[in-house]
Amino acid sequence: MPLSHRRSHLLQEKAEAVFPGGVNSPVRAFRSVGGEPPFLTHAEGAWLYDEDGNRYLDLFGSWGPMILGHAFPSVVEAIRDAAGRSASFGASTAAEASLAALVQKCFPSVEKLRFVSSGTEACMSAIRLARGFTGGDFIIKFEGCYHGHSDAMLVKAGSGVATLGIPGSAGVPAETVMHTLALPFNDLDAVRAAFAARPDQIACVILEPIVGNAGTIPPAPGYLEGLREITRQHGALLILDEVMTGFRVTLGGAQRLYNIQPDLTTLGKIIGGGLPCGAFGGRAEIMNHLAPLGPVYQAGTLSGNPLAMAAGIATLEHLIANEKAIYPQINQTTAEIAEGVATIAREAGVTLTTNQVGSMFTWFFTNTPVTDFATAATSDTAAFGRFHRAMLEAGVWLPPSQFEAAFVSAAHTPQDVAFVLNAARTALGHD
Ligand code: PMP
């Protein structure tokens, strides 16, 4: 019997009357995959529960933060405790320094940092700082990378922008993005040419070191090293946007995995344990250009919010204490899911390109190797949509777009792997 979505459908109708598309963030609307999004009531570990009493195995982890699974006891306890002492002060607390110390332990390149409330703010602020520090106006980003929805970053962006098939956004004046150069990912020659065309005018290169927002795309061997070398030669800053990869692909993010020392790093998602939190940080000499020490302005009423700090501390403390157990386990679970489904698909006559780094992965509905946005875009998004709907019906919640990474948490068990593979057999018509 098909799952009932009666209550979710009624809630969706109500939501559409008040929220554009019925949602508070576009990809949640399921527009590109079709069908209506279930409304969730609660989640525990690796399982999500909806208004109609259905449950789903979670393979999107709130878009990345929930690496320990949902309602992780020490995180819940930390939030409760902090809430009892006030949700916000707008003044300094010891918790900010405690979380900062944990971040620095994981990211030695972060000598100084600042907390913000989202990945968008972290990237927007890091770019302003890079411009203020170097005096350059131009910034280089890459097609299919998403760095939040600040105006200057909405050029050939990934995530919802790619999902909706739009090049950028209405409401962003051409003058605002005229200094944003969007180049193909994994192509060092394009970067060399951009620097040659504008010597001394480029403030920074910002990238997702492993792209997640066009689906998962790893950097080609030597690519990150090449970017490091080119930026150093030209006095531009290298900003690694580790909002998704930070504390995910290793405790120290992609920079530890690939041994790359950026000038600045942006963080989000896992750092707040599911609460709104982001951070940007790096070399002290650069960070000291921020107000009140320097001329680059940046601020936030809820920055360093006590609930977010508490959830972040509880999450990072658990990850640090259990690093050696957690990371090999989630990487292994992810490989079993990613490769297991790819095998089932092959047997059903569907060729997928499967990209995986650590506990993030994507099944691209194409047989072209996916190395940049152009190759990701060869995917059959209608086929992905059919697969998404069938998997949801079989009880597995995938990210609702071909151009988003899926995530596995420490709460996923071998039984959960078997559950996903069974669901895929049904979804791909291979019972
Ligand atoms: N950078 C990256 C790499 C991201 O994945 C995201 C969010 N998906 C952002 C920035 C923006 O973060 P937020 O949604 O918290 O503003």
Side-chain angles (χ1 to χ4, degrees):
M1 208 173 66
L3 301 183
S4 166
H5 296 291
R6 200 181 59 85
R7 284 176 59 84
S8 283
H9 175 67
L10 293 175
L11 287 163
Q12 177 69 16
E13 277 182 347
K14 278 194 190 158
E16 282 177 16
V18 279
F19 307 122
V23 287
N24 287 299
S25 195
V27 186
R28 293 182 198 172
F30 279 32
R31 285 288 162 108
S32 74
V33 290
E36 281 189 349
F39 277 57
L40 299 179
T41 53
H42 63 289
E44 204 183 329
W47 290 89
L48 308 167
Y49 297 85
D50 78 5
E51 288 277 350
D52 292 282
N54 306 308
R55 67 171 202 159
Y56 309 92
L57 188 72
D58 181 10
L59 286 183
F60 89 120
S62 181
W63 310 95
M66 310 312 284
I67 192 166
L68 297 180
H70 294 269
F72 191 75
S74 67
V75 177
V76 174
E77 188 49 42
I79 296 170
R80 270 210 189 101
D81 179 60
R85 286 180 283 119
S86 179
S88 180
F89 304 110
S92 296
T93 65
E96 292 158 88
S98 302
L99 182 56
L102 297 174
V103 173
Q104 286 173 317
K105 195 170 170 160
C106 303
F107 286 83
S109 71
V110 174
E111 293 170 3
K112 280 196 171 180
L113 72 161
R114 195 160 261 178
F115 288 117
V116 291
S117 297
S118 66
T120 295
E121 278 181 83
C123 296
M124 178 184 81
S125 307
I127 284 160
R128 184 181 305 139
L129 178 58
R131 284 170 158 162
F133 179 77
T134 61
D137 284 338
F138 284 87
I139 53 187
I140 291 178
K141 75 175 288 290
F142 298 98
E143 293 165 6
C145 282
Y146 180 70
H147 305 292
H149 64 96
S150 71
D151 285 0
M153 290 287 91
L154 287 179
V155 182
K156 297 195 176 159
S159 188
V161 185
T163 302
L164 300 173
I166 50 182
S169 172
V172 178
E175 290 79 2
T176 308
V177 288
M178 66 185 242
H179 294 113
T180 304
L181 308 172
L183 307 180
F185 189 74
N186 270 337
D187 180 349
L188 286 176
D189 284 341
V191 179
R192 285 192 196 99
F195 273 100
R198 303 182 195 282
D200 307 324
Q201 294 179 64
I202 297 175
C204 62
V205 171
I206 183 169
L207 75 154
E208 296 179 64
I210 301 155
V211 184
N213 285 289
T216 306
I217 307 175
Y223 180 61
L224 299 176
E225 292 84 345
L227 292 179
R228 181 62 282 185
E229 196 183 305
I230 297 167
T231 45
R232 207 168 260 148
Q233 271 166 9
H234 290 272
L237 303 188
L238 180 65
I239 306 178
L240 292 187
D241 177 351
E242 300 233 40
V243 166
M244 195 179 272
T245 52
F247 316 104
R248 164 67 63 186
V249 293
T250 72
L251 194 49
Q255 53 195 264
R256 187 200 283 181
L257 188 63
Y258 299 111
N259 193 23
I260 297 294
Q261 178 94 356
D263 298 296
L264 292 174
T265 298
T266 59
L267 296 165
K269 300 189 191 272
I270 292 173
I271 197 174
L275 270 76
C277 186
F280 64 105
R283 280 163 46 203
E285 175 202 10
I286 303 170
M287 292 302 289
N288 287 343
H289 268 60
L290 282 179
L293 292 186
V296 177
Y297 196 71
Q298 183 279 334
T301 301
L302 295 178
S303 293
N305 173 264
L307 269 59
M309 297 296 105
I313 291 167
T315 301
L316 295 196
E317 276 180 345
H318 188 83
L319 286 173
I320 291 168
N322 298 282
E323 181 187 4
K324 292 209 162 61
I326 287 179
Y327 287 90
Q329 180 210 319
I330 54 175
N331 295 354
Q332 174 65 23
T333 307
T334 309
E336 286 170 15
I337 291 174
E339 288 160 22
V341 171
T343 303
I344 291 164
R346 207 163 37 244
E347 286 164 9
V350 179
T351 312
L352 303 178
T353 290
T354 307
N355 282 358
Q356 182 206 342
V357 183
S359 56
M360 54 193 278
F361 71 98
T362 302
W363 294 300
F364 292 98
F365 279 70
T366 178
N367 48 24
T368 308
V370 174
T371 56
D372 57 12
F373 185 65
T375 45
T378 65
S379 300
D380 181 345
T381 52
F384 176 83
R386 286 192 297 277
F387 179 64
H388 182 276
R389 289 195 298 280
M391 288 294 274
L392 195 71
E393 182 64 26
V396 177
W397 191 302
L398 297 173
S401 163
Q402 176 70 93
F403 306 114
E404 298 282 359
F407 300 104
V408 168
S409 81
H412 286 80
T413 63
Q415 291 87 321
D416 295 336
V417 175
F419 186 87
V420 178
L421 301 192
N422 270 332
R425 276 185 202 102
T426 311
L428 294 162
H430 191 75
D431 263 317

